[in-house]
């Protein structure tokens, strides 16, 4: 484990891009995991609305509410991490109106303790990004495969491919990236984007790009923590590298406990009070 002391701020991510040092990020949704990730020296923790799928067992991120996001961000910030904490804005918390969007972004900071917010969308989200940034709330954007648009995309599909099925998709992705920069976003997540397109966007954008399924040329990388740790079932998307199989580790531990209790091997004298 590595622990560096200086708190990571929004400008620090920009400095990392300029210096060429890769930015590291993972999602977390509660205190113990936030503490572990932070002790390892992760640069930022995203309390993602992937909460819906990996913690709440939903099929999509769409049902996640503002109250649930505030609650989970609060659990993460209780760890007082050195890492920057970014809170995801759930579906319909920023699409309905500018005033609602500002108020909801503010809740993630005021009640949750987040230091920045993330929302999905490119050209279509530029107005709302500008409004939130104007009240001094830093915004990280998310383009490419945007999970809140699952029904429009017809599934979780790579975006910006050269194929004939998505004519102009590459140009649209670049337009989206430029629009969010002009609106004042301080970083942008590129999800499910061909690696050459992600490389091109990373080269031209003045702000950090954070890739997930976008190849090695982004300024940083993010994964859903449950995918990396082997806690999200049998299916592993192509872009995920599993670093552990905690599902197996936990099953082994729980099975051993059940056997010990049934065999009267636990508790023993050393676990008892006299
Ligand atoms: O909700 C989330 O966890 C995300 C990451 C996959 C980037 O948006």
């Amino acid at each position: 484990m590595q622990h560096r002391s200086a708190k990571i701020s929004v400008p620090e991510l920009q400095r990392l891009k300029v210096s060429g040092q890769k930015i590291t990020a993972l999602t977390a949704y509660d205190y113990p995991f936030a503490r572990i990730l932070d002790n390892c020296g992760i640069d930022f923790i995203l309390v993602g609305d992937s909460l819906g799928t990996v913690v709440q067992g939903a099929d999509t991120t769409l049902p996640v509410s503002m109250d649930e996001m505030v609650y989970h961000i609060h659990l993460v910030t209780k760890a007082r991490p050195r890492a920057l904490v970014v809170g995801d804005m759930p579906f319909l918390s920023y699409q309905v109106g500018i005033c609602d969007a500002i108020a909801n972004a503010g809740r993630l900071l005021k009640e949750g303790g987040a230091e920045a917010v993330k929302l999905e969308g490119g050209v279509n989200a530029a107005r709302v990004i500008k409004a939130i940034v104007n009240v001094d709330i830093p915004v990280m954007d998310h383009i490419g495969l945007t999970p809140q648009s699952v029904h429009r995309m017809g599934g979780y599909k790579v975006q910006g491919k050269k194929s004939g099925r998505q004519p102009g998709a590459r140009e649209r992705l670049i337009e989206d990236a430029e629009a969010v920069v002009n609106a004042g976003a301080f970083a942008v997540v590129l999800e499910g984007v061909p690696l050459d397109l992600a490389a091109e966007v990373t080269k031209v954008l003045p702000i950090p790009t954070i890739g997930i399924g976008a190849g090695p040329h982004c300024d940083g990388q993010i994964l859903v923590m449950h995918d990396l740790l082997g806690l999200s079932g049998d299916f592993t998307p192509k872009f995920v590298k599993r670093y552990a199989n905690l599902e197996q580790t936990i099953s082994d531990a729980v099975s051993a406990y059940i056997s010990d209790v049934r065999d009267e091997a636990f508790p023993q004298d050393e676990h008892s009070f006299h």
Side-chain angles (χ1 to χ4, degrees), residues 27 29 46 48-50 88 118 120 142 189 191 212 222 224:
T27 64
Y29 316 91
L46 171 69
D49 63 354
S50 49
D88 228 351
K118 177 172 84 57
E120 297 181 9
H142 184 158
V189 171
E191 178 166 357
I212 172 164
I222 186 164
V224 170

Side-chain angles (χ1 to χ4, degrees), residues 18-261:
V18 172
S19 72
Q21 186 179 319
K22 294 284 186 186
I23 297 165
T24 59
L26 282 171
T27 64
Y29 316 91
D30 62 19
Y31 171 84
F33 279 110
R35 201 172 48 75
I36 295 169
L37 267 44
D38 196 54
N39 281 337
C40 293
I42 203 88
D43 293 317
F44 79 84
I45 295 173
L46 171 69
V47 188
D49 63 354
S50 49
L51 170 74
T53 50
V54 296
V55 176
Q56 297 176 330
D59 290 335
T60 71
T61 59
L62 302 184
V64 176
S65 71
M66 268 301 298
D67 285 347
E68 288 163 350
M69 286 309 305
V70 167
Y71 175 72
H72 282 274
I73 294 167
H74 184 62
L75 299 184
V76 164
T77 57
K78 279 261 179 180
R80 299 191 175 281
R82 163 195 164 274
L84 181 76
V85 178
V86 181
D88 228 351
M89 298 199 66
F91 182 54
L92 291 192
S93 68
Y94 58 95
Q95 293 95 336
V96 176
I98 295 287
C99 290
D100 272 1
I102 295 172
N104 284 328
R107 280 192 69 195
L108 300 188
L109 273 66
K110 277 173 79 106
E111 298 173 41
E115 292 142 348
V117 301
K118 177 172 84 57
L119 56 84
E120 297 181 9
V123 171
N124 62 337
R127 212 165 70 89
V128 76
I129 294 170
K130 201 175 258 181
I132 297 173
V133 169
N134 267 344
V135 297
D136 280 341
I137 298 175
V139 176
M140 175 177 287
D141 189 69
H142 184 158
I143 57 174
L145 191 172
T146 45
Q148 291 176 16
S149 319
V150 58
H151 298 306
R152 171 180 58 75
M153 295 181 298
Y156 298 105
K157 295 182 178 158
V158 174
Q159 302 294 301
K161 273 187 167 173
K162 277 182 195 140
S163 81
R165 267 195 238 144
Q166 298 177 341
R170 290 174 72 84
E171 294 70 19
R172 269 203 306 282
L173 191 106
I174 294 170
E175 274 168 33
D176 281 340
E178 284 169 349
V180 304
V181 170
N182 292 335
F186 74 88
V188 61
V189 171
L190 302 179
E191 178 166 357
V193 172
L195 65 88
D196 61 328
L197 179 55
E200 187 181 332
V201 171
T202 300
K203 204 162 163 200
V204 297
L205 287 203
I207 61 172
T209 59
I210 312 295
I212 172 164
H217 306 299
C218 297
D219 296 306
Q221 297 291 330
I222 186 164
L223 283 177
V224 170
M225 180 190 64
H226 288 58
D227 292 342
L228 163 118
L229 294 179
L231 278 173
S232 49
D234 291 336
F235 174 69
T236 309
K238 178 179 161 70
F239 59 84
V240 170
K241 179 171 173 185
R242 262 200 185 170
Y243 286 82
N245 187 350
L246 288 200
E247 200 155 320
Q248 192 60 55
T249 306
I250 293 169
S251 296
D252 291 347
V254 173
S255 301
Y257 166 74
I258 292 170
S259 299
D260 275 2
V261 171

